[in-house]
Amino acid sequence: MLSTKHQIVVVGAGISGMSCAYRLQTELPNVQVTVMSDDFTPNLTSDGSGGLWEPYAAFGTDPDKIKIWSDITYEYLEKLALSSDSLKAGVSCVGAHYLSKDPLLEIPCIMRHTKHVRRMTKEQARRMHPAAIDGYSYSTFTCEPKIYLPWITEKLKKAGGSVVKRRVRELTKLCEEFDLVVNCTGLGAEELAGDASLVPVRGQVIKVKGVNVVSYKSWLLNGDSFWVYIIPGINTTTLGGTYEYGVGDNKVAEGERKRIMDMCCWLEPALKNCTVEKDWVGLRPARKSGIRLEVDSTYHSTVKVIHNYGHDGSGVSLHWGCAAEVVAKATESLHIPYILASKL
Ligand SMILES: Cc1cc2nc3c(=O)[nH]c(=O)nc-3n(C[C@H](O)[C@H](O)[C@H](O)COP(=O)(O)OP(=O)(O)OC[C@H]3O[C@@H](n4cnc5c(N)ncnc54)[C@H](O)[C@@H]3O)c2cc1C
């Protein structure tokens, strides 16, 4: 007997692809979701990210959209951080502190969407670091993809979804095999969707262990592709890092490595006793006109492609909200009813 289920394929197994796949499989009735990807966790761009919820970089994207997607993700992470699954999912609540040696005339743009923000007094800033005279504190979440991706993959499989290793060369061919295609290929969309507006943004970080750092700390530097930050994780702490627009080289640079380690130890002296787990370079998938989340009808007469890529430095911060919009677009594209309640 032929299957009556809507066959959906999600291309890409990073944080964008896996969250879409899971939401589609669990929130739409009568669907069968397959994730198709040429590589998986722990080898992806998503895996090296410290996973801080801070939707700072997705330049060119409508700020109202960023607000909606990041708020949905924030609420989801909050719920998850308070659930018994938090450690298994790699999601934690963390205090965050931005410090500066100069007076801050306005809230830094990097913090535009953050919540529960408190301005520090000069004294409070100094207590955080002797060179600081100003700063902000707030609370946020970390969602570590290296832990989160295996967890959500298992949940997808338990819900009936499947995962296949395959490099996709043409979206048109997939439209012949499936009822709906969701393209979450990050920088891979340059080739797959012929999108020349994708830009790699190089980020170098160091993953360390053996240090009891519990809050996120960052030192604001203006006009540089480098900034100092420490993101505490469940098993490892991420020290960063660089934001190098248009640089596609993913080799570790020794000079940057030394700069990251020196600056992070200066910001948080407890790091002097840490053990380096590994150096890591990732390429953030930026796009000149911002995130592409839209339905594309040009590949096939009846089968639609939903693109969801180009999340730059905010893919973790936006993933659950973007996946919600993909579910809404899939509902319309397949003409099926949408069950509103998400099953966490
Ligand atoms: C150093 C660094 C730090 C970061 N820190 C943060 C942070 O703190 N907070 C935050 O929100 N974001 C952060 N980011 C950004 C975040 O990591 C990215 O936005 C996010 O990982 C993008 O996820 P994605 O799933 O869209 O892409 P990817 O993780 O790149 O996944 C793409 C998937 O598509 C597959 N694929 C590609 N082409 C094909 C093809 N032709 N056929 C089959 N499969 C294909 C790949 O194998 C992969 O599975 C950071 C990034 C870097 C580099």
Side-chain angles (χ1 to χ4, degrees), residues 230-245:
I230 301 162
I231 306 178
I234 292 169
N235 301 316
T236 54
T237 295
T238 304
L239 313 183
T242 66
Y243 184 91
E244 299 162 78
Y245 193 83

Side-chain angles (χ1 to χ4, degrees), residues 2-17:
L2 282 176
S3 164
T4 54
K5 288 188 173 177
H6 295 284
Q7 299 293 327
I8 303 178
V9 64
V10 176
V11 191
I15 193 135
S16 306

Side-chain angles (χ1 to χ4, degrees), residues 62-307:
D62 177 357
D64 293 341
K65 285 278 183 188
I66 297 281
K67 170 104 182 87
I68 293 167
W69 296 330
S70 62
D71 280 357
I72 293 172
T73 309
Y74 188 94
E75 276 172 33
Y76 162 70
L77 294 180
E78 186 170 39
K79 219 165 141 191
L80 202 43
L82 293 173
S83 78
S84 56
D85 265 359
S86 62
L87 290 178
K88 278 186 259 168
V91 175
S92 317
C93 182
V94 290
H97 311 285
Y98 269 98
L99 298 167
S100 169
K101 68 173 178 39
D102 302 310
L104 297 169
L105 301 178
E106 55 184 29
I107 193 156
C109 68
I110 203 164
M111 290 176 58
R112 198 180 305 138
H113 298 282
T114 50
K115 298 177 194 303
H116 315 299
V117 177
R118 183 172 59 80
R119 182 80 179 264
M120 289 182 202
T121 63
K122 216 177 200 176
E123 266 317 299
Q124 285 166 336
R126 278 228 170 91
R127 258 183 263 136
M128 299 287 304
H129 194 279
I133 64 151
D134 206 346
Y136 286 93
S137 291
Y138 62 97
S139 64
T140 185
F141 298 94
T142 50
C143 170
E144 296 171 69
K146 212 176 142 189
I147 304 175
Y148 180 75
L149 285 175
W151 174 79
I152 199 165
T153 305
E154 272 320 297
K155 279 175 69 86
L156 171 72
K157 287 181 183 167
K158 277 195 189 134
S162 61
V163 171
V164 174
K165 186 169 168 75
R166 181 167 133 193
R167 179 165 181 77
V168 177
R169 301 202 181 271
E170 284 180 55
L171 290 173
T172 316
K173 288 244 167 76
L174 279 191
C175 292
E176 285 158 15
E177 290 174 50
F178 291 88
D179 302 314
L180 182 71
V181 178
V182 182
N183 173 22
C184 299
T185 50
L187 280 179
E190 180 175 7
E191 196 184 322
L192 191 60
D195 188 339
S197 69
L198 276 159
V199 182
V201 182
R202 185 179 181 280
Q204 180 164 333
V205 294
I206 308 175
K207 302 279 177 182
V208 302
K209 279 180 178 261
V211 61
N212 188 23
V213 177
V214 289
S215 61
Y216 169 71
K217 249 189 199 176
S218 181
W219 186 265
L220 290 164
L221 299 168
N222 287 327
D224 201 344
S225 61
F226 181 90
W227 87 101
V228 194
Y229 63 83
I230 301 162
I231 306 178
I234 292 169
N235 301 316
T236 54
T237 295
T238 304
L239 313 183
T242 66
Y243 184 91
E244 299 162 78
Y245 193 83
V247 180
D249 171 12
N250 62 2
K251 291 198 185 63
V252 172
E254 276 308 314
E256 292 296 358
R257 178 184 200 278
K258 183 171 173 353
R259 191 176 177 197
I260 293 168
M261 190 52 97
D262 288 351
M263 291 296 283
C264 286
C265 288
W266 170 79
L267 184 59
E268 179 54 77
L271 285 168
K272 284 186 180 134
N273 301 320
C274 71
T275 308
V276 173
E277 189 187 65
K278 69 170 181 176
D279 296 288
W280 186 80
V281 175
L283 303 178
R284 300 172 180 92
R287 197 166 166 265
K288 284 178 189 147
S289 51
I291 293 167
R292 186 174 188 198
L293 205 171
E294 63 181 7
V295 178
D296 186 343
S297 309
T298 60
Y299 287 93
H300 193 272
S301 54
T302 53
V303 176
K304 310 253 193 284
V305 174
I306 301 174
H307 298 288

